Every structure is written in structure tokens, then in C-alpha cells.
Amino acid sequence: MTTPNEPTNPYGEQPKDPNDPFRAPDATPGQPAQPPAAPQYGTPQYGAPQYGAPQGSPYGQPGYPVANPASPTGYSAPPPNYLVWAILSTIFCCLPLGIASIVFAAQVNSKWNAGDFVGAQASSKKAKQFAIWAAVLGVVLGGISLAVRATSGDLS
Amino acid sequence: MNPSASATGHGSVADVQVPRAWRACAAPAAAALVSVGVVATLAVVDPNRPGHYPTCPFLWLTGMYCPGCGSLRALHDLAHLDLGGAWGMNPLLVVALPFVVGAWVLWVRRAWTGRERSRAMPASWIVTILVLVLFYWVLRNVPSLAPWLAP
């Protein structure tokens, strides 16, 4: 590493260009620059552009991941509104929770169409949860009703 | 296989893409399998005879019909190709079923092609469905409308 004529640095020590994005940050004068091909795991070098830095940015800031410019919000497709599951749980589970799931399904679409992508995601999660809870409670209550009627002998 | 090809992914695109489409269709396939199983069970085990299935919890707790009351018997009738009987048990189910099947077809298409929804349907449509279901819930408990709407 300290020999000036190692193969990865065939030009030896070069004058440090302050605008060089590939400039090794910690090379002290008199020491040869570290070969850039040697990754130093565990010792992040905040002065140097790292992976993820925007191309053509010579300022040496730490590279933040840049969102895809085609979808600046990060959302490209509307979240699922689980409307079919909401209706199925309403029809087969017989509880107002299914109705709540339909309400949240409507919220998913209204928020999405209004541009509230984060709110649409939240409503999507709620619609899913209410459909699941409608199904679970429907099965549990149905089982209880079956058990109660079976023990009381009233299965008409 | 050439290790460099497997490391870079070159040459394995066709090997990967077909299983991806099949794997994405696992969920709709499972839903279809469960649905067919349920309908087959309902076709064989008659829900008109008591004791086989739980009563609707809402009917059990309140004594009133819910939007789903009669849907098991309606599915039993549909499995025996008795559309009139199914309509008499739960017209909402008969109306909703084609849309459910259509939504399943779209689900399979999205899973197969890997393309997600690009648009959300107007929320007013969903609100319309909600109002219809709520009206149906109330009206099928009105005694004078029971011959048409109650199971």
C-alpha cells in the first residue's frame, strides 16, 4: 500500500485536485493516495462521493439515494382497495365490519384520485384489516352460535 | 450452468420470468380453489337442512336479516343451476357474483402480466355500492318487501 509504484496506481502520487470527485480524502501529504479500487468496509468516508451519489456531482456531498424522477412520490399504482373482499365479508360474515371495509375501500380511491397517496395507503391498510376482522369475527360468532344451538338442542 | 452467467443473470431471464408469472398467480389460484371447494361442499351438504352450517351471527344476535342472509342457500341453488331459487334467497349475491368473477379475472391478468393498476375507479361508484348494500340491509327487514328481498 505504501509503495508508490504499485500496479493499481501507475502514475504514482498525483497533485490533489480539490474538485476531483475520486480524490482520496484522507491522504496526507507525502503519502500516496489510496487506490480507489480498495473498498474500506466499516470506515465510511463521508468526504468522498460514495455509492449512490448522483452522477456528475463534483461537490463531494454524501450521496443520498435519489428518487426515481419518473415517479417523484414513489407511488406508481393505486394501492389495493380490497373492495371485493369487503363485499364478500359483508355478504358472508354478516357484520357491520364489512361495511366499514367498504367505506375504507371508497376512501382508498377518493384519496388516490385526489393525489393523497400516503392517505390512500393508510386507507388500503384499514380496508384490509376490517375485511380480515369481519371474516374472523364472522367465523368465530358463527361457531359460537352453532355450538350454543347444538348444546341447547335447537338446530332448527 | 456457467457460474458467471448465473452471477450476472445473463441467459437466465427466460428461466426466471415464466415462474414469476406462475408464482404471482398462486394467490388467485388459491382463492379459486377455496371457492370451488366451498361451492362443491354447499352443493352436496344442503344448507336448507338445519345443523350443518352456523346461522348468520347478525340474525342470531338481533333477529334481523343482514345483507348476506340466505347466501349459502343461494349458492346451493346456483350449484344446482337453480337461478330462480338463488334469486329468491339473496338477490344481492346473484347480482354481485358476476362482478366478483370479473374482479378475479382482472386479478389473474394483473398477476400474470405483472402490471399493476394504473387507475383507481371513482370513489363515488364504491359509495353507490355502499348505499345500495345499506338500503338492501334495511329493506329486506321491511315485512311488506320480505317476499322479494328476505331469504
Side-chain angles (χ1 to χ4, degrees):
Chain A
M1 285 296 183
T2 56
T3 52
N5 295 323
E6 62 179 310
T8 54
N9 190 5
Y11 305 108
E13 191 175 349
Q14 296 292 312
K16 299 295 184 294
D17 178 4
N19 291 327
D20 181 7
F22 299 108
R23 171 175 60 96
D26 296 323
T28 55
Q31 291 286 325
Q34 295 288 326
Q40 301 184 347
Y41 299 110
T43 59
Q45 302 176 355
Y46 292 107
Q50 294 293 317
Y51 309 106
Q55 295 293 315
S57 165
Y59 305 113
Q61 325 109 314
Y64 294 106
V66 179
N68 182 6
S71 60
T73 59
Y75 300 104
S76 58
N81 59 15
Y82 304 103
L83 178 61
V84 172
W85 300 108
I87 291 173
L88 287 178
S89 67
T90 303
I91 290 181
F92 289 107
C93 304
C94 317
L95 289 169
L97 291 178
I99 296 291
S101 189
I102 298 178
V103 171
F104 283 114
Q107 272 191 12
V108 171
N109 287 33
S110 65
K111 287 180 176 175
W112 176 265
N113 289 332
D116 179 7
F117 306 118
V118 177
Q121 291 280 354
S123 294
S124 171
K125 198 174 281 183
K126 285 236 178 70
K128 183 184 187 178
Q129 285 167 347
F130 271 95
I132 290 174
W133 279 112
V136 169
L137 266 183
V139 169
V140 167
L141 280 178
I144 291 174
S145 79
L146 195 61
V148 167
R149 288 184 311 142
T151 51
S152 65
D154 170 31
L155 281 176
S156 57
Chain B
M1 182 187 260
N2 185 353
S4 70
S6 66
T8 57
H10 292 308
S12 59
V13 172
D15 302 339
V16 170
Q17 267 180 355
V18 173
R20 188 217 63 80
W22 283 104
R23 261 184 290 128
C25 288
L33 213 63
V34 170
S35 304
V36 169
V38 166
V39 172
T41 306
L42 282 167
V44 176
V45 183
D46 189 352
N48 292 293
R49 300 202 339 263
H52 294 301
Y53 301 98
T55 310
C56 163
F58 187 79
L59 178 64
W60 180 58
L61 290 173
T62 67
M64 289 188 290
Y65 296 123
C66 82
C69 283
S71 48
L72 293 189
R73 285 164 285 174
L75 281 179
H76 171 82
D77 291 343
L78 280 179
H80 290 272
L81 303 178
D82 179 7
L83 191 62
W87 185 267
M89 280 301 163
N90 194 329
L92 175 67
L93 177 91
V94 177
V95 170
L97 216 51
F99 292 100
V100 172
V101 173
W104 183 84
V105 170
L106 292 178
W107 186 17
V108 170
R109 201 179 68 174
R110 283 198 307 274
W112 184 259
T113 61
R115 272 179 300 172
E116 301 203 54
R117 288 184 183 86
S118 55
R119 285 171 300 177
M121 77 161 97
S124 55
W125 295 10
I126 303 178
V127 174
T128 305
I129 295 171
L130 177 68
V131 171
L132 280 178
V133 170
L134 288 175
F135 264 95
Y136 178 70
W137 194 337
V138 173
L139 291 182
R140 70 189 320 212
N141 286 293
V142 175
S144 60
L145 295 173
W148 293 278
L149 296 178

